[in-house]
Amino acid sequence: MENQFRQYPLEEDILGALDALGYTQPTEIQAAVIPSILNGRDIIAKSKTGSGKTAAFAIPICNFADWEQNTAQALVLEPTRELAFQVKDELYAIGRFKRLKVPVLYGGFPMEKQILTLKQKTHIVVGTPGRVLDHCKRGTLDLSKVRYVVIDEADLMLDMGFIEDVKNILMHLEGKPVFMLFSATMGERLEALAAQFMHEPLEVKIENDTETADTIEQVGYFVDEDEKKLPLFLDILTMENPDNAMVFCGTREMVEVLYYRLRKEGIACGMLHGMIDQKVRTRTIEDFRAQGFRILIATDVAARGVDFQNITHVFNYDLPTNKEVYVHRIGRTGRAGETGRAVSLIREDEQKMLNSIESFTGVGLAILKPPAAEDVENARSAFLKRQRQKRPRKKKKQDVFGGQIMNLTIGGGKKSKLRSGDVVGAISSIDGVDGKTDIGAIDIRESITYVEILNGKGALVLEELPKRTMKGKYRKGSQTRERIGTIIKVRHSN
Ligand code: AMP
């Protein structure tokens, strides 16, 4: 069947990447906004994670980006570093065949290294507001050519106190870029922001916030004493024996208690909360996505906006204190026509919250009796077996392009005055290599250069390159295991 994205006037490079990613049919939000963005209309979209909202703006932005330009043509603002990287990955994947460069700017990371990255070709900048503003003020980020601006997770930006920074950044823009604002909720302050910067935006609302998919089975267990909660949870978890689960706790401490308790049993699990080092958080997210473990324990804030697929169970170890949060949490499961289970532990004093959730969603939770000790005992060995077992790792989104792309390291870099033109020149002089389509991202460091070779031409380049000179010297190339984005990340985090 023909890829449904062909109905839009998109470049072949973009359509090819969508094919490779397996995006064959636009999601609701994509169908609603892509044509408008392509026509240059501002948009305000109310839509949550899992709806495909990232690709909804990433597809038109990547389509629009012109490789020849050297400074940023689009700016995407994200409230957290995790989201910034998640969105960068999507832009990078969709822009793969256009060889788009997508640097990520975030706080807590050496400024000088980001400045060096920004001095190289930059097509789309993704960043957190504080650091982006910092670069604007120092004059190290040129926004004069930006034609598309995305303010993502705008309500979270507001909650985190970033709105003034966002406004200040927008003041640095020239001309009239296309503005896109994505938010789970809208309020006065966001409306005022939109009124100040946007021109007759198309307003799109995708999901009714009270809507819980009918593919999600919602059950609850009452627990009368706090001490009984943890053993009850472990019994329920044993009985449910989930394939992929998220467990939400109200506090960081509880996340840690559960994590260490499960680890003590040899159960593979991961945890996310605000006090965990960012590098470790990123690794946990990647590991969970790759199916390295089945149970992720998290606080709401740490897991907000982060996209995970194939979640079979959501556990509310602690009931949220807000009914909307309940809907967001359980919406992690039962997606794409799959069934899911949402299991909540409810303290007696939370009855009011339960009532409020039930009237908000219009669905009553089936209240179950605690599992019988004998049943738990019988289920235990199957539970431990599955939860301790290693699964084959799932491919990362970017790796769907694998095989087709080889990453090379070339001796020589800025010190020997190597420029990307020299690299492109030498590689495209090889018979059978097309400089326009077969060379991916190039990253020139002090004395080393990384370059991606696309379309399965890597082996040919590896063989032929040493026979050619760059800046008057023969240079050795070797294959690198990591992809360029990863290399940059690893090097940056030193
Ligand atoms: P998001 O709401 O942007 O976090 O996206 C949720 C997930 O849907 C991501 O893992 C995307 O890779 C995936 N996705 C986005 N658009 C499509 C599409 N048209 N077809 C299939 N998957 C998609």
Side-chain angles (χ1 to χ4, degrees):
M1 201 180 70
E2 190 176 71
N3 192 322
Q4 299 291 304
F5 281 100
R6 288 196 174 267
Q7 67 185 289
Y8 306 121
L10 297 171
E11 296 175 349
E12 276 306 315
D13 278 346
I14 300 295
L15 290 164
L18 297 178
D19 277 339
L21 286 163
Y23 297 2
T24 52
Q25 198 150 14
T27 64
E28 206 182 339
I29 177 84
Q30 291 161 5
V33 304
I34 289 176
S36 299
I37 304 173
L38 287 170
N39 281 328
R41 176 138 186 220
D42 289 353
I43 58 155
I44 295 179
K46 206 173 157 198
S47 125
K48 56 180 190 179
T49 303
S51 58
K53 73 177 164 81
T54 315
F57 62 78
I59 293 169
I61 286 179
C62 291
N63 190 71
F64 162 82
D66 172 10
W67 192 87
E68 301 290 338
Q69 268 197 35
N70 290 330
T71 57
Q73 299 159 56
L75 172 68
V76 181
L77 296 173
E78 294 291 334
T80 66
R81 176 187 183 275
E82 280 84 9
L83 285 174
F85 272 100
Q86 182 174 302
V87 166
K88 182 216 84 162
D89 282 346
E90 188 91 358
L91 286 158
Y92 189 70
I94 293 171
R96 194 75 195 228
F97 295 128
K98 286 185 75 174
R99 300 180 282 142
L100 297 182
K101 288 219 169 190
V102 188
V104 183
L105 307 176
Y106 58 95
F109 179 82
M111 207 61 194
E112 315 76 62
K113 291 189 182 173
Q114 287 177 351
I115 292 172
L116 273 181
T117 306
L118 288 172
K119 280 188 177 156
Q120 300 192 24
K121 211 179 229 317
T122 294
H123 297 108
I124 303 165
V125 168
V126 182
T128 52
R131 183 52 68 100
V132 169
L133 185 59
D134 215 349
H135 281 285
C136 290
K137 287 182 175 159
R138 288 169 185 239
T140 46
L141 173 63
D142 180 358
L143 295 182
S144 64
K145 300 272 178 353
V146 165
R147 290 293 159 261
Y148 286 83
V149 178
V150 178
I151 302 163
D152 197 15
E153 301 278 345
D155 52 340
L156 191 55
M157 297 264 200
L158 193 68
D159 291 348
M160 294 174 79
F162 288 152
I163 282 298
E164 285 311 310
D165 283 354
V166 170
K167 271 191 199 164
N168 280 327
I169 293 166
L170 300 186
M171 302 287 191
H172 281 82
L173 297 165
E174 291 176 19
K176 166 71 194 78
V178 177
F179 282 106
M180 293 165 247
L181 187 142
F182 290 83
S183 193
T185 57
M186 284 298 290
E188 262 173 39
R189 290 188 67 194
L190 289 182
E191 271 157 21
L193 179 81
Q196 187 178 350
F197 292 96
M198 300 172 103
H199 175 68
E200 293 179 2
L202 170 76
E203 294 192 31
V204 182
K205 187 176 171 204
I206 291 306
E207 254 156 332
N208 182 348
D209 249 7
T210 63
E211 205 171 88
T212 51
D214 50 15
T215 48
I216 307 173
E217 199 175 343
Q218 301 179 56
V219 303
Y221 292 87
F222 278 116
V223 53
D224 51 5
E225 286 169 46
D226 264 357
E227 305 86 79
K228 291 190 185 156
K229 205 168 171 180
L230 183 54
L232 172 65
F233 174 72
L234 295 173
D235 285 356
I236 297 168
L237 190 66
T238 307
M239 296 299 294
E240 295 282 347
N241 197 3
D243 242 352
N244 290 301
M246 289 187 77
V247 181
F248 287 98
C249 299
T251 62
R252 299 199 277 263
E253 290 74 21
M254 198 58 230
V255 169
E256 300 221 345
V257 168
L258 274 185
Y259 173 81
Y260 288 111
R261 181 71 181 73
L262 294 181
R263 291 293 293 248
K264 217 175 88 193
E265 304 252 1
I267 294 167
C269 57
M271 64 171 165
L272 290 180
H273 65 62
M275 291 304 282
I276 298 172
D277 178 73
Q278 292 198 316
K279 262 185 268 175
V280 178
R281 271 199 262 172
T282 306
R283 211 179 312 135
T284 302
I285 289 170
E286 282 179 0
D287 213 19
F288 189 50
R289 281 187 183 143
Q291 303 201 332
F293 56 88
R294 295 180 189 269
I295 302 171
L296 178 67
I297 309 157
T299 57
D300 288 303
V301 171
R304 170 87 189 253
V306 182
D307 170 52
F308 297 111
Q309 310 264 307
N310 308 322
I311 302 288
T312 55
H313 288 70
V314 169
F315 292 93
N316 291 311
Y317 183 89
D318 293 311
L319 209 59
T321 49
N322 167 325
K323 51 193 191 300
E324 285 92 356
V325 174
Y326 175 85
V327 175
H328 285 164
R329 282 187 187 177
I330 74 164
R332 303 277 188 162
T333 184
R335 286 205 204 151
E338 299 282 321
T339 53
R341 268 172 85 74
V343 182
S344 300
L345 267 58
I346 307 149
R347 284 197 323 257
E348 303 224 309
D349 60 349
E350 288 171 326
Q351 179 70 54
K352 244 175 105 180
M353 191 64 228
L354 175 66
N355 295 345
S356 144
I357 288 170
E358 289 182 330
S359 59
F360 185 58
T361 61
V363 180
L365 268 64
I367 302 297
L368 305 181
K369 280 209 188 94
E374 195 189 341
D375 293 341
V376 175
E377 209 35 57
N378 289 339
R380 198 169 156 73
S381 71
F383 170 70
L384 290 178
K385 186 166 175 230
R386 172 184 277 180
Q387 301 300 332
R388 288 173 178 170
Q389 205 171 40
K390 281 217 170 348
R391 287 183 284 186
R393 287 184 81 81
K394 245 173 86 173
K395 274 187 180 173
K396 279 187 188 172
K397 184 175 285 163
Q398 303 78 355
D399 294 345
V400 297
F401 299 94
Q404 290 294 305
I405 296 177
M406 188 188 276
N407 298 308
L408 300 187
T409 309
I410 300 172
K414 286 190 185 131
K415 263 195 197 144
S416 39
K417 304 235 171 346
L418 210 60
R419 299 175 57 172
S420 45
D422 304 317
V423 180
V424 173
I427 296 175
S428 31
S429 73
I430 299 170
D431 261 354
V433 178
D434 182 335
K436 269 206 149 52
T437 54
D438 297 337
I439 305 173
I442 299 174
D443 184 21
I444 303 182
R445 302 269 142 177
E446 277 311 296
S447 46
I448 209 166
T449 292
Y450 300 109
V451 54
E452 283 180 334
I453 307 298
L454 313 179
N455 306 322
K457 306 274 176 73
L460 174 65
V461 173
L462 204 54
E463 193 184 323
E464 291 297 318
L465 195 64
K467 301 177 191 162
R468 286 161 173 78
T469 57
M470 273 180 252
K471 277 272 178 299
K473 263 181 79 175
Y474 289 98
R475 297 176 193 270
K476 271 203 192 136
S478 60
Q479 189 178 353
T480 333
R481 256 194 39 223
E482 299 92 327
R483 60 192 173 86
I484 286 195
T486 317
I487 297 166
I488 294 172
K489 244 194 269 177
V490 171
R491 299 193 132 231
H492 280 186
S493 54
N494 283 340

